[in-house]
Amino acid sequence: YVGKNILGTGFDCDIVIHRGAGAYEAGEETALIESLEGKRAQPRIKPPFPALSGLYNCPTAVNNVETLCNLPPILINGAEWFQAMGPDKNGGPKLFCVSGHVKKPGVYEAAMKTTLRQLIYDYAGGPFDGRKIKAVIPGGSSVPVLLDDQLNIPASFDDVAKAGSMLGSAGIIVMDDTTCMVWAAKNLLYFYKHESCGKCTPCREGGDWLYKILTRIEAGEGEMRDIDLLVSIGNNIAGKTLCAFGDAAATPALTTVKHFRAEFEAHIREGRCTVPSPWRAAKTPVGAH
C-alpha cells in the first residue's frame, strides 16, 4: 500500500527511487546505505546495526523488494494462507530464476515446496537433449554447488541448507556434463575479484590470488600443489571479512575442488581440459573455452 491516507488510517507512504552506481557490493545492507549517502559502496563495521544507526545515522529498516511485495497479500489473506504455500517456516511463493543449460531459462514463481528437480525439468524444460545435469548452483553464484542426486528436495531455505548449500537469491544456475568446472570456477572468480570493494585484505588480495591460480590451472600450466593452495586461500578468506562477500568469493573455488577435484588434477596432469564437449574440439587449447 502506497500513497496518501492508506486505508483511511491517515498514514501516508511515499516511495522515492534512487539509481545506484551498479556495485554488486551494494547488496550488503550497510554498503547500500553508504551508496545512498553518496559514498563508496563499502560495508560498515557492525555494531551499530542499521536498525539503530542507518541512513544518515537514523534508524533504518533495509528490506528486499520481494519481501515488501509479499506484504499486501499477507495483510489481505492472512499469515495462515501464506504459510500454507510452503514447508514449515518457509511459506509463501518465491521467484526462481533458472538459467544455464536448460531449454526454457526464465523467472518462475512457485511455492517453496516445489523441488529443485521440478523447477529445472517441469518449469525450465530440463537440460538439452542428450545432456545430463552435472551440477546446480541453487542460490546464485556465491553458494555451494549441488549434484544431480541432491535435486529431489524442496527449493526452500531450510531444505537447501540441509543439503549443504543455500537458496540465497534463488538464482538457479544449471550446468550440464559439457561444463568444465575449472573454467566455471575461474569465470566466477573473475567476477568476484572485479566486484570486491577492496576494504578487507583477505577479500581484496585473496580473490585475485584465487583467480590467478585458477587461470594457470585452466591454461594447463598448473601444479598439483595449486589445488591445495586454492583450498588454503579460500579458507583464509571465508569468515574473515566485514561482510559475506569474502565467503562468496571463496565459495566457487572451495566447492568445485570439493566435488570435482579429479577435473583439476586432469587439467594439471594432461595440460588441457579433458571434459568432452560438443562446443569445442577435443584438442582446442583450454584457455580458448
Side-chain angles (χ1 to χ4, degrees), residues 23-36:
Y24 179 84
E25 181 60 28
E28 196 277 337
E29 59 180 3
T30 61
L32 174 61
I33 291 171
E34 289 284 288
S35 180
L36 285 172

Side-chain angles (χ1 to χ4, degrees), residues 24-71:
Y24 179 84
E25 181 60 28
E28 196 277 337
E29 59 180 3
T30 61
L32 174 61
I33 291 171
E34 289 284 288
S35 180
L36 285 172
E37 292 180 357
K39 306 171 188 174
R40 291 187 65 183
Q42 294 184 321
R44 297 176 178 177
I45 296 175
K46 301 180 285 288
F49 293 93
L52 295 177
S53 179
L55 187 65
Y56 301 117
N57 297 320
C58 297
T60 305
V62 182
N63 287 290
N64 188 286
V65 172
E66 189 175 14
T67 300
L68 300 178
C69 288
N70 280 324
L71 291 178

Side-chain angles (χ1 to χ4, degrees), residues 109 131 174 232 256:
E109 186 175 25
R131 305 263 60 94
V174 180
S232 176
T256 50

Side-chain angles (χ1 to χ4, degrees), residues 173-258:
I173 305 171
V174 180
M175 294 176 278
D176 67 20
D177 51 5
T178 66
T179 306
C180 168
M181 299 308 295
V182 179
W183 172 86
K186 171 195 164 186
N187 190 40
L188 293 174
L189 254 300
Y190 176 81
F191 170 78
Y192 284 110
K193 85 174 186 68
H194 178 269
E195 290 294 329
S196 173
C197 75
K199 188 168 186 175
C200 303
T201 302
C203 180
R204 181 184 67 247
E205 302 298 330
D208 190 52
W209 294 350
L210 289 175
Y211 175 73
K212 287 178 178 177
I213 295 169
L214 285 166
T215 298
R216 187 163 68 235
I217 295 175
E218 202 263 343
E221 300 170 356
E223 302 177 11
M224 286 298 177
R225 62 180 181 177
D226 286 338
I227 301 176
D228 290 332
L229 185 57
L230 284 173
V231 175
S232 176
I233 294 172
N235 286 331
N236 277 285
I237 299 174
K240 299 171 178 67
T241 51
L242 280 173
C243 76
F245 189 95
D247 299 62
T251 294
L254 291 175
T255 190
T256 50
V257 169
K258 176 183 177 181

